[in-house]
Structures are given as structure tokens and as C-alpha cells.
Amino acid sequence: MKRRNFLTSGALNTLALGFGLSGLAKPNLNLSSSSKSRTKKSKASGPVAICTWEFTQANATAGKLLDEGYNALDAVIQGVAVEEENIKNTTVGKGGSPDREGNVTLDACVMDHTGNCGAVMCVEDITHVAALARKVMEDTPHVILAGEGAKEFALNSGFEAENLLTEASEKAWKEWLKESKYQPIINIENHDTIGMLALDAKGNISGACTTSGLAYKMKGRVGDSPIIGSGLFIDNAIGGAVATGMGEEVIKTVGSFLIVELMRNGMSPQEACEEAVRRIVTTNPNHVNFQVAYIAINKEGETGCYCIHPGFKMMKYEKGANNPIVAGSYLQKN
Ligand code: SD4
């Protein structure tokens, strides 16, 4: 049975635990051995898992793992892996849209509760780039590996190379080539990057963000998603945030770091997400032409989400329930 079908058949727990912990080489998602021990609940109201967009299955995978006592880092890596291997998702992992020259290049990062982080940029032929970012974090003296070097490291670490350009993505790219007009479409083209945050039973927070970036980007373009502080930031004493949408705008405002700092200064996750969106729209009149959305969580397990244009949702898993939350939007409100 294919993994996806198996997941939806209700055997989620068994599967999610099985494919990491039995040490499967493909994909090597590298669950830490320490995560096998069950943990006691802390004062924090975890476990909670949230992710960008309506990725029900990915978020449920993370949530179930947290309920089983696995740590936040393992939960987010396993959760986002569901979308990385979903070939129907054209902005994450396998099946992602290529750049304008036909190369699928992936970006990802992870950050854990100790403040450790890892990232990979512009990686070709490797599906599970969030797991690869974790490898960079855990097995190298560096934070970021890019391009060929990242791929080489992946292959040496047991990841398998595969062609990420699916027939459907290739067909869409060839169609795009006819006009070669670069115009990301709000909530359509740039609507699928998955960023996920988890608060585990010990009260620790980790996050992951993984994407193929904007469709038909220039060769070599890197967005916010693998940039710590922009696409993702965690401070375990405060909370975490993750971004989706037009990466250039997130980078200019260091969005995720900003949200965590705003929470440090007393804002709720919701207030902090709203302020980070406001920073973009008040400085860039062109915001009517692009989407940016943020989600955030604090140490108490409170969450927030906000975006520029209506149409963004966050998934939230808490106490066994996994529900979509419709985000408020700047342009709807104002
Ligand atoms: C990027 N932020 O590469 C990503 C794209 C994205 O939903 O999030 N799409 O700019």
C-alpha cells in the first residue's frame, strides 16, 4: 500500500512512528533516538501543531506524533514530509514547479528548542529537504548548505536522488514558456509552501519550513523559506513563527524574527502576526499584488495567524482535534 493511502486509512500513528523509528533509509527523516522516550506534560498547554495552509494530513501527522510523546522537531520534520512527497503540491518537494529554465530547486530550514538551526538552499533532486536541513544542523559545523554542495551532502548522508519534475509540472512550465510572463498569482500560484510549528509535551518548540519557492523564478533565486529569521524563527523561551507567500517581502522585514521579538515584548501571537503584516503593507504600496501570511505560537500554546489578502488558512492540531483556522487579512479589514 502506498504511504499516502495508508495514512488516510486511519493507521496514522503506526505509520508515522514506523517510518522514522525503524530507521528506514528512504526517506531518512532521521528521528532522534532521544525522541523515543515518552515525555511528561509540562505547564505549557502542549502538544500543539500548526501549519500554513490547509494541509490537514501533514498537520495531523505532526499532532499524532506529539500526542505519542515525540519531540517537536521530529513532529515537524515528519509532518512537512507528507507534503514534500505529495506530487500534487506544486510548491513543495517532488512535483514542485521549476524555475524558468525547468530546474526544480528546493529550499528548507529547521530550528529547534535549543536555538540550533539548519538550512538548505537551491537543492536539486532531493525530496525531503527539511530532513536534509536537520542533517546539516546535526551533522555539520555549518548552518546552511547550498546547491551542489547540499545535494552531495544529501547523497553522502543516505538520501536518494530522484527527478522532482513531474509530468504535470513540466507540462505547466512548457505552457508558461509560451508567454514567459512572471506574475505570481495571489493564493493560487504561491499558496502551498508548508511551514510548521510544534509545541511538544515537554513544552519545547521547534519548526520547519520547506518549499520549491515561487514558480518560474530566476535560476538561483532563493526565497525566505530557508532563511532563519525570515521564513522561520524559534526562541524556546518565547515562541516561534513561520511565513508563506512572497519571500522577498518577508526577507526585507525579517518577518519571523520580528514576530518572536514582538511576542517577547508582550504581544500575543495574533497581535504579532498582524504587526508583521502591517510592516510590509505600510512600506510597500505594491502589496495589493502579492500575498504574505504568518502563523505563530507562544510558549503557552496560544497561536495566531494573519495575512495580506483574504484566502489564507492555518491548520491547528490540539487535544486530538485538527482544524482549519481562517486567518484575518489586512485588506479585508481595512
Ligand atoms: C518563497 N515564501 O520562496 C516562498 C513561497 C511560498 O507559498 O511561501 N509560497 O518566496
Side-chain angles (χ1 to χ4, degrees):
M1 191 191 289
K2 281 205 145 161
R3 183 148 75 224
R4 294 189 63 72
N5 299 341
F6 188 50
L7 263 171
T8 45
S9 74
L12 182 67
N13 259 346
T14 325
L15 168 85
L17 303 182
F19 96 88
L21 296 179
S22 60
L24 280 190
K26 184 181 175 285
N28 179 3
L29 295 176
N30 193 29
L31 289 190
S32 61
S33 50
S34 62
S35 66
K36 289 182 207 166
S37 58
R38 299 294 184 268
T39 51
K40 281 194 188 138
K41 286 227 168 201
S42 75
K43 276 185 212 150
S45 67
V48 181
I50 55 174
C51 76
T52 55
W53 307 104
E54 206 167 350
F55 293 126
T56 310
Q57 195 179 319
N59 208 54
T61 298
K64 299 275 184 198
L65 283 168
L66 293 170
D67 280 348
E68 293 290 330
Y70 287 87
N71 69 42
L73 183 63
D74 288 337
V76 295
I77 299 283
Q78 295 273 8
V80 300
V82 172
E83 283 309 313
E84 288 175 329
E85 64 196 16
N86 174 7
I87 58 169
K88 291 197 175 138
N89 182 337
T90 58
T91 65
V92 179
K94 192 170 184 176
S97 297
D99 64 19
R100 51 189 73 176
E101 293 176 33
N103 313 297
V104 181
T105 62
L106 305 183
D107 298 334
C109 73
V110 299
M111 190 158 187
D112 74 9
H113 68 284
T114 68
N116 245 341
C117 52
V120 291
M121 297 175 176
C122 228
V123 187
E124 292 184 56
D125 304 328
I126 305 293
T127 298
H128 291 292
V129 281
L132 181 59
R134 179 186 189 162
K135 275 261 167 212
V136 172
M137 173 175 88
E138 292 179 342
D139 295 354
T140 80
H142 307 303
V143 169
I144 303 170
L145 290 181
E148 267 304 303
K151 181 176 163 183
E152 238 171 65
F153 173 68
L155 298 178
N156 291 336
S157 303
F159 288 74
E160 280 181 22
E162 51 182 335
N163 179 15
L164 304 181
L165 187 65
T166 56
E167 251 177 60
S169 292
E170 189 171 7
K171 202 169 153 212
W173 167 60
K174 287 191 170 150
E175 216 24 65
W176 175 83
L177 278 179
K178 289 179 187 163
E179 287 201 20
S180 300
K181 205 169 141 210
Y182 182 66
Q183 181 72 63
I185 301 165
I186 291 160
N187 288 340
I188 298 179
E189 186 215 290
N190 51 9
H191 79 302
D192 276 337
T193 289
I194 184 162
M196 187 178 281
L197 302 167
L199 171 71
D200 65 26
K202 270 188 173 168
N204 288 327
I205 301 171
S206 289
C209 189
T210 175
T211 190
S212 56
L214 299 180
Y216 319 130
K217 59 195 176 185
M218 288 176 71
K219 186 176 181 182
R221 181 267 187 188
V222 171
D224 61 310
S225 304
I227 298 181
I228 297 297
S230 293
L232 169 72
F233 194 72
I234 306 289
D235 181 329
N236 201 47
I238 306 296
V242 70
T244 180
M246 185 61 73
E248 282 73 6
E249 303 305 319
V250 176
I251 292 170
K252 288 179 208 166
T253 47
V254 200
S256 294
F257 181 74
L258 172 63
I259 290 170
V260 173
E261 288 309 295
L262 291 169
M263 291 195 290
R264 188 192 309 282
N265 289 320
M267 283 192 187
S268 68
Q270 183 60 35
E271 288 166 341
C273 288
E274 292 185 17
E275 176 57 22
V277 165
R278 226 173 278 129
R279 293 279 171 104
I280 294 173
V281 299
T282 52
T283 52
N284 191 340
N286 191 38
H287 64 265
V288 291
N289 294 318
F290 59 79
Q291 175 69 300
V292 169
Y294 291 109
I295 66 172
I297 189 166
N298 68 12
K299 199 67 180 159
E300 285 70 49
E302 295 166 336
T303 60
C305 54
Y306 201 64
C307 55
I308 300 176
H309 293 266
F312 172 69
K313 285 183 195 163
M314 160 179 97
M315 286 304 303
K316 180 169 183 176
Y317 182 100
E318 193 176 27
K319 299 187 176 79
N322 192 34
N323 292 309
I325 314 273
V326 177
S329 59
Y330 182 88
L331 286 181
Q332 200 167 44
K333 204 172 133 187
N334 291 276

